[in-house]
Amino acid sequence: MSYQSLAKEIVQLVGGEQNIISVVHCATRLRFTLKDHSQAHKENLENLDGILSVVESGGQFQVVIGSHVSEVFKDVIKTANVGSTAKESSEKSKGKVIAKIFEVIAGSFSPLLGVLAGAGMLKALLVLLTMTGLLSAESGTYFILSAAGNAVFYFLPIFLGITVATKLGANPYVGGTIGAALLEPNFTNLLQNIGDSTHFLGIPVVLMNYSSSVFPVLIAVSIYAVLDKFLRKTIHKDLQMFLVPMLSLFIIVPLTAVIFGPFGVNFGNSIGTFINFLYSESGILTGALMGGAYTFLTLLGIHQGFAPFMLDNLSRGGDPLLALVSAAVFAQIGIALGIFLKTKDKKVKALAGTTLLPGLFSGVTEPILYGLIIRYKRTIPYVAIAGVVGGGISGLAGATAMTLALPSALSIPIYSPLVPYIFAMLSALGIATILTVIFGYEDKKKIKVEEKRVEAGQTIIKQEAIASPFTGVIKALADVDDPVFSSAAMGKGIAIEPTIGKAVSPVNGMITTVFPTGHAIGITSDQGAEILIHIGINTVQLGGKYYSPVVKQGDRVNQGDLLVNFDIEKIKEAGYPVTTPIIITNTDRYIDIIDMNKEAVQVKEALLTLVV
């Protein structure tokens, strides 16, 4: 499926453009702020080609895409004609105050994660080059590259001013200017020239260093966003262009210097002091807690809430949190490695291999989480145990990060002390790998033996027959020209090249999904099989042309009942293959899925046998 087609389906299934307040993206997921979550079709989205999972957390509706999320995001913006700026809405989205605060924080950091991680990796590379003597710390090359790595951290108040204002629907350039005022030379020179205090209109001002700070600009720009809305309501439209920014800067910058800045710095210091207190009292307990829990916080999509505290700690010399949660990341990588070593299924091995490398070398582990750990729930306790052990060792050693970078093999040089940290991460990775290899990754099902005999004289286990929905030519799923289907990421099954434009129900059951375009139908059989029939490849782009569904969601069907009529010739003329994957989306429920080893099939003939 093309990115443009996927974007159109996503927009439609989250309730359409009119239901979207804003959307941003992080490393692997789209983060929607919706007016009404009940208008979004979560189950349909999860069944969509190219989507790993859907998570509702922190007031956001999060659609997990994978490493190509940025491309999908661009087409979502074009399709829905929305930006990451929140739209004005007369309907206030529901949610608690804490959830809204988290939503602002997560939405503000999401656009910056890529450059923060990239700059952090560049700083790690510089550490490695100077440690090995390949680059002198006194050379011009070092200082130029160091400037590239340090810039985003030093000027973080400016970038955060832009993203916070964008998230809150205010002018991002005014937000950035508020952050820049804290770093302006005339202001920063006051601290160097006259000490730690000055006055503004007779009001005492406590001077502080705001480079790399987080909380002052978060508070200041949040207040600015409220002021901006008030000024736009009260000032004549012809005067707003210059008067609103002027008054906003005139009011907010002094308030930041007098109140918001010192309060934000002291608030961050207090949080940092508390974290360091826990760390000093029991590093092993704090590390075990963070290492064990971080995987589940990531699954919920709320792990970005730690970013402000990590950055604030880094601005004061080093951050222990990143060193502790690294154990969870390496534990997840260990699960992928264990499945890669354990499985004999070529498709599962390919999936594990393709998720393993991005996790190991870039620290992006969402594909492991949603493609493997959630799919093979037996691995959940393994990743928790490994994270607890690795985090505990890291905490016991007092490990800290010297800069921000996604935990990975390449970012190891940014941690200190280095050897104990490496041992902690190898422990997390090794334990997860060993547990997966020894105890397996697939859920063990209780097998109920029936008294029925086969020709070989062996007892067989409970099974369910799936009939063919079509007449046509059979094709192996691995040969389908769509990586989501061919990799079995959606589940195991088979494909058919239909010769007659009618699809019938392969089982007795209930219609669970009828896609708006009519090209795909989901059915749950009476025995619990969840079946997706996807007629054609990339045919969602037809927008429903040449498809005529005769059933709707919630209908009861019997095997052989007509589901949809479709015009094979017109679909082909439009440039789309009619190759139809028939997927068992709850594959993990079954010990095996056996095809009938045929080259062609007639409608209602036996197609698959599901072994429970």
Side-chain angles (χ1 to χ4, degrees):
M1 182 183 293
S2 71
Y3 297 139
Q4 185 178 14
S5 302
L6 181 58
K8 287 180 180 178
E9 290 238 33
I10 291 171
V11 170
Q12 185 175 8
L13 292 173
V14 298
E17 179 181 340
Q18 68 280 0
N19 194 40
I20 301 173
I21 296 174
S22 65
V23 57
V24 296
H25 76 88
C26 56
T28 58
R29 67 188 80 187
L30 298 171
R31 295 172 175 268
F32 287 94
T33 301
L34 303 179
K35 295 177 183 176
D36 184 359
H37 282 220
S38 66
Q39 292 185 27
H41 303 280
K42 183 176 179 181
E43 184 178 336
N44 289 6
L45 275 167
E46 289 179 325
N47 288 330
L48 201 59
D49 306 349
I51 291 179
L52 296 175
S53 182
V54 176
V55 179
E56 293 184 76
S57 179
Q60 293 183 329
F61 191 87
Q62 303 172 15
V63 181
V64 184
I65 303 291
S67 58
H68 55 282
V69 65
S70 59
E71 286 82 3
V72 179
F73 173 77
K74 291 175 185 176
D75 284 318
V76 166
I77 295 297
K78 293 176 184 176
T79 300
N81 193 29
V82 297
S84 55
T85 304
K87 295 185 200 173
E88 294 290 336
S89 174
S90 57
E91 304 174 43
K92 293 182 180 179
S93 58
K94 299 177 181 179
K96 297 181 179 179
V97 173
I98 293 177
K100 289 184 178 295
I101 291 172
F102 171 80
E103 180 186 341
V104 171
I105 292 173
S108 301
F109 276 94
S110 290
L112 297 175
L113 286 180
V115 67
L116 287 170
M121 292 297 290
L122 179 55
K123 295 179 75 171
L125 176 62
L126 285 174
V127 172
L128 184 62
L129 291 175
T130 53
M131 284 175 58
T132 56
L134 296 175
L135 183 66
S136 169
E138 305 299 323
S139 67
T141 301
Y142 175 85
F143 283 111
I144 291 171
L145 292 177
S146 182
N150 289 331
V152 69
F153 296 101
Y154 183 86
F155 294 106
L156 188 60
I158 300 176
F159 296 109
L160 265 182
I162 293 170
T163 58
V164 174
T166 299
K167 178 63 182 175
L168 294 175
N171 187 324
Y173 302 106
V174 175
T177 303
I178 292 170
L182 301 177
L183 305 175
E184 199 274 334
N186 288 319
F187 181 69
T188 57
N189 285 340
L190 289 174
L191 184 61
Q192 298 175 4
N193 297 332
I194 67 172
D196 58 3
S197 66
T198 187
H199 291 82
F200 175 77
L201 299 177
I203 302 171
V205 177
V206 178
L207 296 173
M208 294 183 172
N209 181 7
Y210 292 107
S211 65
S212 304
S213 63
V214 173
F215 294 106
V217 74
L218 278 174
I219 297 169
V221 177
S222 298
I223 300 297
Y224 154 64
V226 176
L227 176 64
D228 179 74
K229 291 178 182 178
F230 171 75
L231 292 175
R232 291 186 183 281
K233 288 180 181 178
T234 55
I235 295 175
H236 192 276
K237 186 174 293 185
D238 293 339
L239 302 175
Q240 286 181 7
M241 185 183 76
F242 72 92
L243 201 52
V244 171
M246 186 192 81
L247 290 174
S248 296
L249 294 172
F250 181 81
I251 294 170
I252 296 297
V253 171
L255 283 176
T256 303
V258 175
I259 301 173
F260 306 145
F263 174 80
V265 169
N266 289 327
F267 174 75
N269 288 341
S270 299
I271 297 295
T273 300
F274 177 70
I275 292 171
N276 290 329
F277 168 76
L278 293 178
Y279 204 42
S280 62
E281 288 295 305
S282 180
I284 188 170
L285 182 60
T286 307
L289 177 63
M290 294 303 301
Y294 194 70
T295 293
F296 306 100
L297 297 176
T298 305
L299 283 170
L300 293 173
I302 61 176
H303 57 300
Q304 289 184 15
F306 288 101
F309 305 111
M310 292 176 179
L311 286 166
D312 194 69
N313 285 336
L314 288 169
S315 70
R316 289 181 284 110
D319 172 57
L321 282 176
L322 190 57
L324 302 182
V325 301
S326 297
V329 174
F330 278 89
Q332 295 160 28
I333 295 168
I335 296 295
L337 178 59
I339 292 176
F340 181 82
L341 296 174
K342 175 76 173 179
T343 187
K344 295 180 180 178
D345 189 315
K346 292 181 179 179
K347 296 171 186 175
V348 176
K349 188 179 286 290
L351 179 62
T354 54
T355 60
L356 171 63
L357 294 178
L360 186 60
F361 294 110
S362 70
V364 177
T365 58
E366 273 89 342
I368 297 175
L369 280 170
Y370 295 103
L372 296 174
I373 294 175
I374 290 301
R375 182 177 181 184
Y376 301 113
K377 295 180 176 61
R378 188 178 179 84
T379 62
I380 290 176
Y382 307 162
V383 78
I385 293 168
V388 165
V389 174
I393 296 172
S394 185
L396 181 64
T400 57
M402 297 297 106
T403 187
L404 183 70
L406 295 178
S408 70
L410 297 180
S411 66
I412 285 174
I414 71 170
Y415 296 92
S416 177
L418 187 59
V419 174
Y421 173 80
I422 293 174
F423 178 70
M425 297 308 108
L426 288 176
S427 298
L429 188 148
I431 289 171
T433 302
I434 292 168
L435 289 175
T436 304
V437 171
I438 293 176
F439 297 106
Y441 60 92
E442 293 182 290
D443 293 337
K444 302 299 182 184
K445 303 292 181 181
K446 291 184 178 179
I447 300 174
K448 181 179 178 181
V449 179
E450 299 179 353
E451 293 300 323
K452 184 177 177 181
R453 294 276 181 176
V454 293
E455 291 180 0
Q458 300 174 331
T459 59
I460 66 169
I461 57 180
K462 186 178 179 181
Q463 54 187 285
E464 178 178 1
I466 306 297
S468 175
F470 306 99
T471 294
V473 178
I474 290 179
K475 189 174 184 179
L477 200 60
D479 296 332
V480 174
D481 189 20
D482 187 305
V484 174
F485 292 120
S486 62
S487 67
M490 293 285 292
K492 295 181 180 180
I494 203 165
I496 296 177
E497 194 82 24
T499 54
I500 299 174
K502 293 182 182 294
V504 304
S505 177
V507 293
N508 298 333
M510 189 75 69
I511 301 295
T512 52
T513 305
V514 178
F515 281 74
T517 51
H519 75 290
I521 292 178
I523 308 171
T524 299
S525 75
D526 290 343
Q527 296 184 52
E530 296 174 4
I531 306 161
L532 174 65
I533 302 171
H534 192 286
I535 306 172
I537 303 300
N538 294 330
T539 45
V540 65
Q541 298 183 65
L542 292 171
K545 287 183 181 179
Y546 318 131
Y547 291 92
S548 301
V550 297
V551 293
K552 60 182 183 299
Q553 185 173 333
D555 283 354
R556 169 82 191 169
V557 291
N558 293 319
Q559 189 181 82
D561 286 352
L562 182 63
L563 301 177
V564 59
N565 293 303
F566 56 98
D567 193 320
I568 294 176
E569 294 306 318
K570 288 188 176 180
I571 293 171
K572 288 182 176 179
E573 286 174 9
Y576 298 94
V578 290
T579 306
T580 299
I582 299 153
I583 306 296
I584 309 302
T585 57
N586 59 340
T587 290
D588 295 345
R589 182 175 185 266
Y590 299 96
I591 294 172
D592 201 0
I593 295 175
I594 305 168
D595 67 62
M596 297 295 101
N597 197 25
K598 299 177 179 178
E599 294 183 358
V601 67
Q602 295 292 316
V603 67
K604 295 193 260 187
E605 283 186 352
L607 182 68
L608 297 170
T609 298
L610 313 185
V611 183
V612 182

